[in-house]
């Protein structure tokens, strides 16, 4: 995306133009000195610099990928801060050097010509290599910030191609660019971008546990800004400014911007060019005969391709060795057996770090496979439904500790392998398993909540029935919404209500007669009639049926089967349905109250999280505070969409408000996603 590509485009354009100008000056100097035979030496140094930069990027990428998550964040944050330092130094250096770059390089080339081919290769390598390494580091950090590489790489490629075209035009004297003004303007923009990269890097260091203040937020605009809008995406991608920022990020961003921009602007004024005197006639160019002569040709010269090939291959080989030697012992090379009787055969102690294990089911039954700490049953990784005769990879991060494999066949007892001990440091985050007994308390509390809600619902559907029987349709519309919101707040029990849910809140979709079908019943049937001008006589039958079904559900619920494992699933599923049906207006039968139903769904979600709080807090202490903040944001947006008993229909919401609501709900769903995994019931014996 362009928002992710722009910072890399700018750095590619600027660094590419710097390197291209240097190469152009080197080439022009050799051409004017009639030493064209030495041009391959310049290109050899340039190729070597490019190879080193690309190898550096490859090593950075592998090094980060092989680390645990917290270490990745600390590593990425450190490199982001280093990248900011390099970019800052580059901006100031180019501001000072733009006017004198040509004369300085010509002096170096003249000296290199006199000292031989090796010095000319080294001169071009050093001149281009710094820009290459800076570009590789900055591209890596911007890709980390964007969370993807396609945008940054595309932007950098476009910038480099444009820079190459500009340099060619300058070399051919087709283009005339005031380089001092160009580097000043791009320097200002890069300082702003670097401030964002600094803030992002410090946030990574906080997430990695290197710096404090991870939850000390100075800015929290997530509830009022749509994170998915084009303008929010653009600001986040270009400037790395997030809706939620810590105090450390804000202070560093503002401090860097104020100090560095002030120094840069003062430096620009101080180095502003003075009026030039009238130019004196330039001396005639030195004849070719006076040009510094290169070393005399030697017989038996090595092939021309040897040196360029070597300078390109050597950095790549060194990078490959760094990757190979730095790679932990590949646990993926171990084939670990899974069966009903022999679990973990072939398993040896891996090195600490992120590992990939190849799990092969040699048994006759499908099996679940867990990498566990046998002393606590904590789970580090799992595969569900590994079929007989198949092989799948299991990726897990291991640290110092004891590990074993647990194989749970479709039928039969679980089998646990012999434990192995991993020595070394690092950090790994296992999931403490949950049993049915652990969920028994939350399930009892939630069933009590649902039972109380059903008692309230029956009273409200009775009131609604009496309204319609008495012909009080205006009052019936108000009482309909009250009762429907009560039912919508019991969302976690939807899958338990069996056939009653279809009767009480069924939809007309799929029915042969649509809204006029005889099987269309419940709240939505009454909604259609109340808001489409049907008479009390036409609605009396559906109202009585709804009241009867609500009473039947209240009576049946205590004996209905409520799977404890459904509780964690419903935490996510309630709001999935909200996003799919209520926030699209898909279930609106005329009342325009989908947002009221969404608000009731939010109440049900919060109640469910309340009963699950002890289990969630012990497994992921930061999850519930984050989710609570998300719920508050969504609720504020919903509160803004109604006045008293009147709710704004979804289709009449301003586009910006609707985008913010969808974005906030999507963020809430994303933060709720870990709940089912954290509280999944796993067989441990």
């Amino acid at each position: 995306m362009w928002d992710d590509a722009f910072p890399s485009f700018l750095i590619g354009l600027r660094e590419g133009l710097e390197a291209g100008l240097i190469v152009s000056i080197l080439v022009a100097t050799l051409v004017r000195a009639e030493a064209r035979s030495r041009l391959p030496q310049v290109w050899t140094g340039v190729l070597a610099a490019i190879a080193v930069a690309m190898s550096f990027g490859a090593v950075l990428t592998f090094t980060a990928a092989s680390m645990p998550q917290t270490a990745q964040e600390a590593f990425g944050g450190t490199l982001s801060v280093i990248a900011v330092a390099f970019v800052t130094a580059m901006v100031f250096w180019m501001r000072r050097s733009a006017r004198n770059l040509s004369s300085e390089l010509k002096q170096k080339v003249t000296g290199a010509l006199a000292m031989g081919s090796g010095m000319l290769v080294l001169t071009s390598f050093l001149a281009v290599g710094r820009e290459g390494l800076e570009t590789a580091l900055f591209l890596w950090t911007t890709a980390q910030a964007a969370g993807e590489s396609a945008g940054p790489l595309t932007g950098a490629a476009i910038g480099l191609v444009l820079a190459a075209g500009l340099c060619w035009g300058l070399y051919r004297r087709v283009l005339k660019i005031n380089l001092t003004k160009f580097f000043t303007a791009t320097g200002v923009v890069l300082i702003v971008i670097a401030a964002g990269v600094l803030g992002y890097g410090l946030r990574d260091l906080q997430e990695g546990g290197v710096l404090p203040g991870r939850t000390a937020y100075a800015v929290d605009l997530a509830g009022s800004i749509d994170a998915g809008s084009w303008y929010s995406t653009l600001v986040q991608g270009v400037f790395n400014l997030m809706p939620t920022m810590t105090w450390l990020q804000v202070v560093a961003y503002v401090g860097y911007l104020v100090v560095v921009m002030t120094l840069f602007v003062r430096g620009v004024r101080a180095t502003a060019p003075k009026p030039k005197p009238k130019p004196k006639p330039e001396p005639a160019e030195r004849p070719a005969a006076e040009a510094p002569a290169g070393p005399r040709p030697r017989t038996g010269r090595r092939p021309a391709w040897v040196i360029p090939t070597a300078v390109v291959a050597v950095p790549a080989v060194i990078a490959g060795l760094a990757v190979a030697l730095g790679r932990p012992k590949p646990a993926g090379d171990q084939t670990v057996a899974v069966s009903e009787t022999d679990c973990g055969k072939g398993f040896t102690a891996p090195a600490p770090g992120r590992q990939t294990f190849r799990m092969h089911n040699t048994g006759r039954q499908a099996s679940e496979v867990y990498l566990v700490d046998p002393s606590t049953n904590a789970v580090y990784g799992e595969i569900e439904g590994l079929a007989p005769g198949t092989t799948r990879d299991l990726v897990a991060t291991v640290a110092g500790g004891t590990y074993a494999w647990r194989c749970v066949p479709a039928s039969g007892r679980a089998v646990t392998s012999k434990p192995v001990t991993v020595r070394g440091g690092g950090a790994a985050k296992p999931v403490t398993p949950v049993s049915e007994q652990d969920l028994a308390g939350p399930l009892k509390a939630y069933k009590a909540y649902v039972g109380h809600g059903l008692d309230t619902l029956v009273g409200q559907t009775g009131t609604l029935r009496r309204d319609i029987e008495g012909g009080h349709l205006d009052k019936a519309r108000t009482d309909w919404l009250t009762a429907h919101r009560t039912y919508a707040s019991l969302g976690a029990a939807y899958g338990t209500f069996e056939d009653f849910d279809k009767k009480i809140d069924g939809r007309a979709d799929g029915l042969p007669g649509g809204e006029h079908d005889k099987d269309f019943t419940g709240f939505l049937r009454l909604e259609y009639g109340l808001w489409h001008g049907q008479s009390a006589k036409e609605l009396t039958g559906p109202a009585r049926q709804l009241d009867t079904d609500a009473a039947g559900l209240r009576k049946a619920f205590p004996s209905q089967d409520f799977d404890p494992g459904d509780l964690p699933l419903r935490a996510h599923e309630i709001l999935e349905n909200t996003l799919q049906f209520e926030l699209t207006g898909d279930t609106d039968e005329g009342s325009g109250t989908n947002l009221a139903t969404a608000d009731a769904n939010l109440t049900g979600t919060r109640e469910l999280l309340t009963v699950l709080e002890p289990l969630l807090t012990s497994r992921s202490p930061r999850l519930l505070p984050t989710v609570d903040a998300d719920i508050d944001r969504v609720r504020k947006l919903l509160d803004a969409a109604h006045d008293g008993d009147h709710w704004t229909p979804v289709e009449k919401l301003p586009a910006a408000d609707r985008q913010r609501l969808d974005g906030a709900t999507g963020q809430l769903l994303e933060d709720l996603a870990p709940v089912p995994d954290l509280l999944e019931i796993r067989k441990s014996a």
Side-chain angles (χ1 to χ4, degrees), residues 1 10 14 43 64 100 145 187 208 224 295 301 375 486 501 536 542:
M1 295 177 63
L10 189 62
R14 183 184 172 105
W43 296 119
N100 303 320
S224 56
R301 181 176 295 177
S375 62
T486 297
D501 183 51

Side-chain angles (χ1 to χ4, degrees), residues 394-669:
L394 185 150
V395 180
T397 300
V398 299
T402 305
Y403 297 85
W405 291 104
R406 178 163 294 140
C407 304
V408 186
S411 61
R413 295 180 58 82
V415 180
T416 303
S417 71
K418 292 182 179 180
V420 301
T421 300
V422 175
R423 304 192 183 281
K429 295 181 178 179
V431 175
T432 304
V434 174
S435 66
E436 289 192 16
Q437 185 62 35
D438 293 327
L439 285 169
L443 179 59
K444 181 179 179 181
Y446 193 78
K447 290 183 73 172
Y449 164 77
V450 173
H452 178 72
L454 290 175
D455 289 340
T456 303
L457 177 67
V458 169
Q460 292 169 344
T461 56
T463 300
L464 176 59
R465 172 181 56 79
R466 289 189 291 273
D467 291 339
I468 293 175
E469 288 175 341
H472 309 299
L473 298 188
D474 286 340
K475 186 173 184 299
R477 293 184 185 96
T478 300
D479 291 337
W480 174 89
L481 181 58
T482 301
H484 191 232
R485 280 168 56 84
T486 297
Y487 186 74
S489 68
L490 309 179
Y494 286 175
T496 309
F497 290 165
E498 300 173 352
D499 293 338
F500 282 102
D501 183 51
K502 187 176 180 180
K503 295 176 182 178
I504 292 174
D505 209 27
R507 301 178 60 189
D509 296 355
L511 296 177
E515 282 84 357
H516 303 286
D517 195 284
K518 62 180 180 62
D519 292 328
F520 183 33
T521 61
F523 280 110
L524 298 188
R525 167 66 182 90
L526 287 175
E527 178 186 7
Y528 178 81
L530 286 169
W531 275 272
H532 282 83
Q534 290 187 348
S535 66
K537 182 179 180 180
E538 292 174 288
L539 295 175
T540 296
R544 289 174 177 172
Q545 184 63 50
L546 174 61
D547 191 26
T548 299
D549 291 335
L553 174 59
R554 179 181 62 176
K555 181 178 180 180
F557 177 70
S559 60
Q560 288 179 331
D561 184 25
F562 201 138
D563 187 346
D566 284 347
L567 277 181
L569 293 173
R570 296 293 185 266
H572 193 268
E573 291 175 349
I574 297 172
L575 291 178
E576 278 186 336
N577 288 337
T578 303
L579 188 62
Q580 181 180 357
F581 299 117
E582 308 304 338
L583 298 187
T584 60
D586 189 58
T587 55
D588 184 19
E589 291 289 354
S591 68
T593 58
N594 280 117
L595 297 184
T597 305
D599 185 69
N601 291 158
L602 209 59
T603 298
T605 300
R606 191 182 283 278
E607 181 65 30
L608 179 59
L609 293 173
T610 299
V611 301
L612 294 174
E613 181 176 1
L615 296 176
L616 289 173
T617 301
S618 63
R619 288 161 175 79
S620 182
R622 301 205 313 258
L623 189 147
L624 280 182
T626 301
V627 168
D628 285 341
D630 291 340
I631 291 177
D632 289 340
R633 294 187 193 106
V634 176
R635 178 140 280 158
K636 287 179 182 178
L637 294 171
L638 291 173
D639 287 343
H642 77 96
D643 181 14
D645 294 332
H646 174 72
W647 290 81
T648 303
V650 171
E651 66 273 11
K652 292 185 179 180
L653 279 177
D657 292 348
R658 190 168 178 177
Q659 289 177 354
R660 278 194 289 269
L661 181 57
D662 289 344
T665 306
Q667 183 62 54
L668 172 56
L669 279 169

Side-chain angles (χ1 to χ4, degrees), residues 277-417:
K278 293 182 179 180
K280 297 179 180 180
E282 293 186 3
E285 291 187 21
R286 182 165 51 185
E290 297 180 14
R296 295 181 179 180
R298 294 175 294 176
T299 59
R301 181 176 295 177
R302 67 177 63 88
W305 55 267
V306 172
I307 293 180
T309 301
V311 297
V312 172
V314 168
V317 170
I318 293 175
L321 289 174
V323 169
L325 295 177
R327 184 188 297 271
K329 183 180 178 181
D333 290 347
Q334 305 174 19
T335 299
V336 182
V338 176
S339 75
E340 304 90 324
T341 58
D342 192 4
C343 181
K345 184 178 180 181
F347 177 49
T348 58
R354 193 169 179 82
Q355 302 289 359
T356 301
F357 303 92
R358 304 199 69 193
M359 312 306 298
H360 178 61
N361 190 340
T362 60
R364 297 181 179 180
Q365 297 185 42
S367 181
E368 295 182 0
V369 186
Y370 304 106
L371 179 63
V372 301
D373 179 342
S375 62
T376 63
N377 291 323
V379 178
Y380 291 86
E382 63 182 296
I383 293 178
E384 295 183 357
L386 182 62
T390 60
T391 301
R392 284 164 59 187
D393 288 344
L394 185 150
V395 180
T397 300
V398 299
T402 305
Y403 297 85
W405 291 104
R406 178 163 294 140
C407 304
V408 186
S411 61
R413 295 180 58 82
V415 180
T416 303
S417 71

